[in-house]
Amino acid sequence: GPHFAAVKAHLEELQANPASIPTAAEEMDKECKGTMMLVDGYVKNGHGEKSLPLLAEIIKKYPGTEWAKKAAAKKAEIEKGQ
């Protein structure tokens, strides 16, 4: 169908220009930055506990990364502050 053709064209375009494919690291940075902004919002509004599952998700999804370290530190801070 026409949808398949569009997807195929898009894939060919990506293969022709690998720079347009976001790397796993870029995807992670974008996601984690967004999550951390949400977390900061919750904390500022006094709802730190709502951000704990978000932080746990980063730690589980990206173990051993800088983001996981940041998330773990933030999580400890929030848990301590409750």
Side-chain angles (χ1 to χ4, degrees):
H3 180 67
F4 178 74
V7 169
K8 189 168 177 291
H10 184 61
L11 279 176
E12 282 166 6
E13 192 184 306
L14 286 178
Q15 282 159 351
N17 179 14
S20 68
I21 304 174
T23 63
E26 284 168 345
E27 287 283 316
M28 176 182 74
D29 282 349
K30 206 169 112 185
E31 183 187 332
C32 293
K33 268 185 195 132
T35 301
M36 288 308 227
M37 280 170 71
L38 267 177
V39 167
D40 286 341
Y42 278 134
V43 172
K44 277 195 188 95
N45 293 312
H47 299 295
E49 73 287 348
K50 285 188 181 165
S51 66
L52 294 175
L54 296 171
L55 293 166
E57 179 68 21
I58 290 180
I59 296 163
K60 195 177 85 190
K61 206 166 167 186
Y62 304 112
T65 64
E66 277 303 308
W67 284 114
K69 279 187 208 144
K70 280 184 191 167
K74 193 85 176 165
K75 194 167 175 278
E77 200 183 295
I78 292 165
E79 284 169 338
K80 210 171 64 191
Q82 275 180 29

